[in-house]
Amino acid sequence: MEESKNYGHHHPLLLLDEEQLINNQSGVADCSKCGEKVYAPCFSCAEYCGFYLHKVCAGSPLEINHPFHRDHPLVLMQKPPYSFGTYICDFCDKTCEKFFYHCPNLDFHIKCALFTFNIAENNLKEIEHFVCQDPLVSTKNDDEELEEVRKCFGCWEPLANYTHFSPNCGFNLHKKCAKLPLELSNICHCQHPLVLQFNSERLSCKICKVTQKRGFVYGCSSCKLVFHIECLSPPLDLAIEDESHQHTFTRLLRRVPYICDACGIEGIYNAYICCTCNIMVHKRCTSLPRIIKSKWHDHCIFHKYFLPNDFKSSSCIICHDEVNPKHGSYSCSYCNTKFHLCCVTEEKSSFSVVSLENEYQISNGGLEIFSDKSVESATCVFERNDAGEATKIKHFKHLHDLKLSPFVGGYENNCDGCMLPISEPFYYCLECVFFLHKVCAELPKVKHVWHHPCQQPLRLISNKAFCCGMCWHVSNAFAYECCKCETKICLRCMIAFTPGARTCLKHEHPLFFYRDYKGWCNACSLPTWAAFCCKDCKFVLHRGCFSLPITAHHKCDVHLLSLTDHDDNRYFESHYCDICEESRDPNRWFYHCAACDTSVHIGCVLGQYPFFKLGSIYEDKGHPHPLTVVKKLYNYSECDKCCKPCEGLALECSKSGCKYIVHWNCATPPSLQRWWEWLL
């Protein structure tokens, strides 16, 4: 045990080897500089105060001129210069909050910066003693998160594809990626040598057109281009056989521009051809799965090189741009929908490969759906009309049968599924006050969704108070709950984010959701980063504004208030809210009663909890009797907890003779309380 300088610590530090570290630790400890689990050799506080420091972290320089990033020096910083207080390492893709190396385009853990520097300097003493594992030898592990990590940090290809160092060294690394030459000449770019570097400018590979944000690439700074390590690697064979295609692909040994028949993206290098089918594809497209199950669609979808003319849909369900039927894409013949290959396979966690034998059968030379267990109906149909429409059903979340409404006109009730005002078509119950929009009734029991990160499906639930993980509204109507993380998503968001065209009663054209859209919302006049947009005009809505109720009740008016998107009154004096009596922006949507000329802010009408099902039962451990959800508009009683008048949403004892009543916010946990304000 060797005593050393204190490296900024107020006590002397001792240098520990592996045996001394085990004896010194009372539990798992982290390095005080990089935040990683401490390992030998390391320094420990001589006074046993819990301070540990990796030896490599203790000797880390204040600045590194890294051979893989020659544009700027990497500067050691104590805290990330970002408002959210964390950073993601551009080598290992992990989040950290401790000391790190930074330049305007890159962030690295201390150990990652120094490790890659040693690779560049061909100094690999740190991992020389670790055992190498042969390719295609992997241990069985059902932990999806761990399997996702099993990629080489250098090329970000699966670790098991090539001989690799044992992951015990702290880095997932192929042996070949640790010994890559700093420069090489390649036929793909003859003008200049290609230099091994980090992809700091996030350029897409010149061969496969995919952007690899982490790890190493070969690039030419003068020409502003990069190549993936795997794309430059010569194939072991000039021919590739894969079960996803019935014929062998042969490499074309010429540099020619082409459009890949599998994905529709331009290529220049490393083309592979199938002479039988007369198609030309990228190397990575030779092994595309024929059938996948995607979070973007309820049914399994098929890859086809060319689409028949009977496909009515012409746009990708995800990006809403046109799909060229002459190039490869994924499609569902059952729903007549298309997907760009690059859109539906962009995130590997959003789809899974389907076994041909288990789910499908061959019939008349083509593939037909044999079974799709993921779509389980929530209703049982008893009667249908001549058009095949279900007119009498039994929903598994309601005791009585439901009938399709024959009426046309306005209704003052809300749908018990989404809590939005009832509009045709809808189902109603003859025995009690229960309504369901037809679209809400037709939702399945279990559903996969693209906007939730877990691989597990979401299951339909009801009569449980929850905070929606998408819109943050608190409700107790129908919701979908993740089977893994128990996140709940309301039906309004589930329907709104279902891929495809959506209708809005305040706009004549269909709207499409764009995950990345910079513009201004027509309802609240605020900037957007993701929005529902119209292809035919510049109409834009936030996802929150898209689901606003068309009509609403409020005690300020005896009539229903209607959502209004314009104010014809040009007099400035009339632009105020009749509830709060504050000024009102005439360019923002508001609720209005034409009969009484009442105009009010949306937030003043809807209040804190607009999507609660009144009259439902809430179990509170702080009271022995069941509590009923009520909304007090007049004759406010005093809250039994805060002694203030119970105005708005409250919980009232359902037992006769018990006068117990509390505010919703006084009786419920913070997770079920609204903490944000309306923007309108």
Side-chain angles (χ1 to χ4, degrees):
M1 187 176 292
E2 175 186 344
E3 187 169 323
S4 178
K5 58 183 180 180
N6 59 16
Y7 291 103
H9 189 58
H10 51 279
H11 298 142
L13 299 180
L14 302 175
L15 182 61
L16 308 179
D17 58 23
E18 188 171 351
E19 183 179 352
Q20 292 167 338
L21 175 63
I22 294 173
N23 295 331
N24 185 271
Q25 282 182 279
S26 58
V28 178
D30 295 332
C31 172
S32 298
K33 197 166 187 178
C34 70
E36 295 284 325
K37 181 182 177 182
V38 71
Y39 55 83
C42 68
F43 292 102
S44 171
C45 177
E47 300 295 328
Y48 303 101
C49 71
F51 181 89
Y52 290 91
L53 193 64
H54 291 133
K55 186 177 180 181
V56 66
C57 292
S60 53
L62 296 178
E63 188 174 287
I64 297 178
N65 291 311
H66 205 297
F68 292 165
H69 185 63
R70 302 178 184 182
D71 297 337
H72 317 96
L74 300 178
V75 180
L76 185 64
M77 299 184 69
Q78 183 174 0
K79 293 182 179 180
Y82 311 117
S83 58
F84 39 87
T86 60
Y87 70 92
I88 297 177
C89 176
D90 284 293
F91 182 64
C92 69
D93 202 31
K94 293 181 180 178
T95 304
C96 192
E97 302 175 1
K98 300 281 186 178
F99 281 83
F100 72 111
Y101 281 100
H102 172 77
C103 90
N105 298 323
L106 294 169
D107 297 311
F108 296 103
H109 292 120
I110 292 176
K111 68 169 189 176
C112 291
L114 297 178
F115 180 72
T116 53
F117 183 84
N118 288 331
I119 289 179
E121 298 292 319
N122 199 24
N123 179 17
L124 299 175
K125 294 180 181 179
E126 184 180 340
I127 58 174
E128 281 181 350
H129 64 284
F130 282 98
V131 177
C132 286
Q133 299 180 8
D134 293 329
L136 303 179
V137 178
S138 59
T139 57
K140 183 178 179 182
N141 197 315
D142 296 327
D143 188 343
E144 295 174 0
E145 294 182 1
L146 185 60
E147 288 300 316
E148 187 64 25
V149 173
R150 298 295 189 193
K151 301 284 181 69
C152 170
F153 290 162
C155 62
W156 282 94
E157 289 294 316
L159 199 60
N161 282 7
Y162 304 96
T163 300
H164 56 276
F165 293 101
S166 167
N168 294 331
C169 69
F171 296 96
N172 297 331
L173 196 68
H174 293 136
K175 188 175 181 180
K176 69 180 184 68
C177 291
K179 299 181 179 180
L180 291 168
L182 286 180
E183 290 189 2
L184 60 80
S185 298
N186 193 281
I187 190 174
C188 293
H189 188 64
C190 303
Q191 297 91 323
H192 310 105
L194 299 176
V195 180
L196 190 64
Q197 59 189 249
F198 300 120
N199 191 9
S200 59
E201 297 186 42
R202 308 293 193 262
L203 300 174
S204 60
C205 173
K206 197 67 178 175
I207 294 177
C208 70
K209 305 297 181 182
V210 174
T211 302
Q212 176 184 302
K213 298 179 181 179
R214 318 289 180 202
F216 306 142
V217 293
Y218 278 101
C220 176
S221 300
S222 303
C223 302
K224 294 286 183 183
L225 53 82
V226 298
F227 299 89
H228 293 155
I229 295 170
E230 284 297 293
C231 292
L232 286 177
S233 301
L236 298 177
D237 300 305
L238 294 179
I240 294 179
E241 293 186 13
D242 194 273
E243 62 179 13
S244 63
H245 190 70
Q246 58 267 46
H247 310 125
T248 301
F249 283 103
T250 306
R251 185 183 178 189
L252 183 64
L253 297 176
R254 290 183 67 90
R255 176 180 168 181
V256 293
Y258 65 97
I259 301 295
C260 175
D261 287 309
C263 66
I265 298 176
E266 181 186 7
I268 300 177
Y269 315 93
N270 288 5
Y272 286 80
I273 59 174
C274 173
C275 298
T276 306
C277 301
N278 194 25
I279 57 175
M280 184 178 293
V281 300
H282 298 121
K283 178 186 175 182
R284 63 186 173 89
C285 292
T286 58
S287 57
L288 289 173
R290 295 179 71 182
I291 311 170
I292 64 173
K293 180 68 181 70
S294 170
K295 285 187 173 184
W296 287 91
H297 197 61
D298 288 333
H299 306 119
C300 294
I301 53 178
F302 293 77
H303 178 262
K304 297 180 181 179
Y305 288 97
F306 311 100
L307 288 174
N309 295 327
D310 57 354
F311 259 85
K312 298 177 183 178
S313 172
S314 61
S315 298
C316 172
I317 288 295
I318 300 174
C319 71
H320 315 302
D321 291 335
E322 185 177 357
V323 177
N324 191 333
K326 296 181 180 179
H327 300 307
S329 61
Y330 279 95
S331 60
C332 174
S333 56
Y334 182 77
C335 300
N336 219 353
T337 55
K338 299 178 187 176
F339 302 83
H340 286 128
L341 185 144
C342 58
C343 291
V344 79
T345 60
E346 180 181 10
E347 298 177 9
K348 292 186 178 180
S349 62
S350 68
F351 71 93
S352 57
V353 179
V354 175
S355 169
L356 183 67
E357 293 80 9
N358 292 343
E359 298 292 337
Y360 292 84
Q361 62 180 1
I362 305 294
S363 176
N364 299 324
L367 289 168
E368 293 183 355
I369 295 179
F370 180 76
S371 66
D372 198 342
K373 301 175 183 178
S374 63
V375 183
E376 185 180 359
S377 176
T379 61
C380 179
V381 179
F382 297 138
E383 296 177 4
R384 295 184 183 272
N385 57 21
D386 295 338
E389 192 175 32
T391 56
K392 186 178 181 180
I393 63 171
K394 176 73 170 64
H395 196 278
F396 85 110
K397 287 295 181 182
H398 190 63
L399 295 174
H400 312 129
D401 296 345
L402 305 177
K403 295 206 68 176
L404 187 66
S405 172
F407 307 112
V408 177
Y411 303 93
E412 297 187 2
N413 294 298
N414 290 336
C415 170
D416 285 82
C418 66
M419 291 307 295
L420 290 174
I422 275 294
S423 58
E424 287 90 9
F426 69 91
Y427 290 97
Y428 68 100
C429 179
L430 292 173
E431 300 185 42
C432 64
V433 182
F434 184 87
F435 300 87
L436 272 184
H437 288 127
K438 189 171 184 288
V439 66
C440 295
E442 292 174 347
L443 289 171
K445 287 184 179 180
V446 179
K447 190 174 178 66
H448 283 89
V449 292
W450 63 267
H451 46 77
H452 186 65
C454 292
Q455 293 281 0
Q456 277 70 17
L458 281 73
R459 190 172 300 277
L460 189 63
I461 63 170
S462 66
N463 298 324
K464 183 188 293 186
F466 67 93
C467 179
C468 175
M470 294 290 291
C471 67
W472 304 109
H473 276 297
V474 179
S475 178
N476 60 348
F478 286 15
Y480 277 91
E481 182 180 53
C482 177
C483 298
K484 180 180 181 181
C485 68
E486 297 186 353
T487 295
K488 285 115 179 137
I489 301 176
C490 68
L491 259 59
R492 296 178 305 282
C493 290
M494 291 293 292
I495 295 170
F497 291 106
T498 299
R502 308 260 68 83
T503 57
C504 175
L505 296 180
K506 306 306 295 183
H507 191 66
E508 64 270 26
H509 305 137
L511 302 181
F512 298 87
F513 183 72
Y514 290 83
R515 292 177 289 172
D516 184 16
Y517 185 90
K518 303 297 186 294
W520 298 87
C521 176
N522 283 64
C524 63
S525 302
L526 294 176
T528 66
W529 56 93
F532 291 90
C533 309
C534 177
K535 286 185 176 182
D536 301 319
C537 58
K538 295 182 179 180
F539 186 81
V540 179
L541 286 179
H542 279 126
R543 64 186 189 186
C545 297
F546 174 82
S547 297
L548 286 171
I550 297 300
T551 59
H553 283 285
H554 195 272
K555 64 180 182 180
C556 71
D557 200 291
V558 296
H559 307 110
L560 270 177
L561 300 172
S562 299
L563 186 63
T564 306
D565 56 1
H566 64 280
D567 195 341
D568 294 329
N569 196 331
R570 297 184 180 181
Y571 291 104
F572 176 77
E573 290 79 3
S574 67
H575 297 156
Y576 66 91
C577 173
D578 286 305
I579 295 176
C580 68
E581 299 184 351
E582 297 288 337
S583 61
R584 181 176 53 79
D585 188 343
N587 296 318
R588 294 186 176 188
W589 289 9
F590 60 98
Y591 281 106
H592 181 69
C593 173
C596 304
D597 195 24
T598 303
S599 299
V600 289
H601 291 128
I602 287 176
C604 291
V605 172
L606 298 183
Q608 283 189 311
Y609 303 102
F611 303 118
F612 243 95
K613 191 188 301 183
L614 302 180
S616 57
I617 299 299
Y618 180 83
E619 298 290 342
D620 183 15
K621 295 180 180 179
H623 189 70
H625 312 137
L627 301 177
T628 304
V629 179
V630 296
K631 184 174 284 188
K632 293 295 183 179
L633 302 178
Y634 307 99
N635 301 324
Y636 314 127
S637 302
E638 284 189 358
C639 173
D640 279 58
K641 290 196 175 182
C642 70
C643 298
K644 295 180 180 179
C646 270
E647 181 181 5
L649 196 69
L651 293 170
E652 192 174 52
C653 184
S654 59
K655 186 176 181 180
S656 178
C658 183
K659 303 295 184 181
Y660 182 83
I661 185 170
V662 289
H663 289 113
W664 174 264
N665 287 358
C666 291
T668 56
S671 60
L672 294 178
Q673 296 175 19
R674 177 175 172 253
W675 50 267
W676 52 276
E677 297 295 331
W678 285 95
L679 300 178
L680 291 163

